[in-house]
Amino acid sequence: MRILAVFLVIPLALGMAFAKQEKIVIDFEDGKLDDWEVIDEKPQNLGDPGPSTWQIRKSQLGLDGNVLYQGSNIWGSAQDSCLMGTFIIYKAQKFIDFVIDVDVAAADNDGMGLVWAFEGTDRHYRVIMINDSWPDIPVDGIKGPFIRIDKRISDDEPWYEKLAVIKDGYTPYPEQTPMHWRLEVKGGKFRFERDDGLTIEAEDHTYKEGYVGIQLYAQQAEFDNFTITPLAPSAAGPAGKLAAVWGDIKRAR
């Protein structure tokens, strides 16, 4: 009976895992942000104290139609010089293996990027880039400009664990000009690329599913066509492990 139960449960779990592979395209044309949550870092005592001003507006930076826009110069706390600021998180669904495509236009030269496996300001991953030379006294000794991938481990020092950074070979993102970002997260491997060819990669096989979203630091920017494509579960993910177990059972029969 126990073997029969395993045969019944595993296919059901696999079916549920693979059933959620529909692409999500958010073009903001409906003017709604019902599935999004804004999170500003606190306390705000550096630069613009906030709050952030996430809203939907007609593009003024060369994107198409309605866009998601943040216009505040919100920075972060004096103790945390890790380019925090503000997040907007898509809360309708969690993801583990996926691709994000998004059109972006920056009005400033400060920090901007994507976050994933987000469970709070103290637990997430991010890719973030900055054209400015800030911060003057970085906690990890790496001044901008750069692009980097970080793992957030705490809201206290040391805040982030650096997974990858490109500084000397960094190409500044275009300002006042549309660009396209693509982030792929699969089986503990992370790859981010811009349409100008800049690419950065990192790995962390301890990562877990979570929400995805956008992070800005002292940056005003537009976003459009935010597209999430869930990927078939990898061997490192929960559904991948179920698939492996199912394969072992079939071979043993």
Side-chain angles (χ1 to χ4, degrees):
M1 292 296 293
R2 293 180 62 185
I3 294 177
L4 177 60
V6 170
F7 286 164
L8 291 174
V9 170
I10 290 181
L12 177 61
L14 288 172
M16 293 173 63
F18 283 93
K20 298 181 178 179
Q21 303 306 309
E22 297 181 2
K23 180 182 294 188
I24 299 167
V25 181
I26 306 169
D27 61 11
F28 305 106
E29 293 304 323
D30 64 2
K32 297 179 180 179
L33 288 174
D34 295 347
D35 291 328
W36 297 81
E37 179 183 359
V38 173
I39 301 173
D40 294 346
E41 187 194 15
K42 294 180 175 58
Q44 294 294 334
N45 54 13
L46 188 71
D48 189 325
S52 59
T53 59
W54 294 97
Q55 60 182 291
I56 295 177
R57 73 174 191 181
K58 292 292 183 183
S59 177
Q60 299 177 23
L61 297 174
L63 298 180
D64 181 52
N66 283 353
V67 295
L68 174 63
Y69 173 68
Q70 200 289 128
S72 167
N73 196 47
I74 186 170
W75 286 21
S77 67
Q79 294 77 27
D80 186 348
S81 60
C82 295
L83 311 192
M84 287 289 282
T86 181
F87 303 83
I88 188 165
I89 305 299
Y90 181 68
K91 299 298 289 285
Q93 182 179 335
K94 292 185 178 183
F95 303 90
I96 186 163
D97 288 344
F98 60 89
V99 173
I100 290 177
D101 286 281
V102 60
D103 297 322
V104 185
D108 202 353
N109 66 346
D110 289 298
M112 59 192 313
L114 298 173
V115 297
W116 64 97
F118 187 95
E119 294 294 338
T121 58
D122 63 341
R123 190 185 129 193
H124 57 268
Y125 296 79
R126 72 172 182 179
V127 57
I128 192 164
M129 67 200 84
I130 185 170
N131 291 350
D132 197 5
S133 61
W134 184 263
D136 285 339
I137 307 176
V139 295
D140 60 3
I142 302 174
K143 289 172 58 66
F146 57 63
I147 184 171
R148 58 189 295 166
I149 296 178
D150 297 318
K151 178 181 181 179
R152 184 76 169 188
I153 54 178
S154 173
D155 275 339
D156 300 304
E157 192 173 358
W159 298 290
Y160 280 108
E161 174 186 338
K162 180 185 66 182
L163 299 181
V165 62
I166 297 174
K167 178 170 174 58
D168 292 340
Y170 174 72
T171 303
Y173 57 77
E175 298 170 28
Q176 309 287 335
T177 301
M179 57 183 148
H180 185 82
W181 294 352
R182 182 178 179 88
L183 170 68
E184 179 175 329
V185 174
K186 186 171 177 64
K189 296 182 178 181
F190 317 134
R191 176 184 173 87
F192 175 86
E193 57 184 313
R194 292 194 324 227
D195 58 356
D196 62 359
L198 182 66
T199 301
I200 187 169
E201 297 178 330
E203 293 187 27
D204 182 8
H205 296 280
T206 66
Y207 93 103
K208 300 177 182 179
E209 72 171 5
Y211 298 108
V212 300
I214 299 164
Q215 182 185 20
L216 294 182
Y217 168 86
Q219 176 67 275
Q220 303 81 51
E222 295 181 347
F223 300 86
D224 198 12
N225 302 315
F226 192 94
T227 302
I228 310 165
T229 305
L231 300 176
S234 68
K241 292 177 182 178
L242 281 172
V245 171
W246 177 237
D248 291 341
I249 291 173
K250 289 196 294 184
R251 285 189 292 272
R253 292 176 64 187

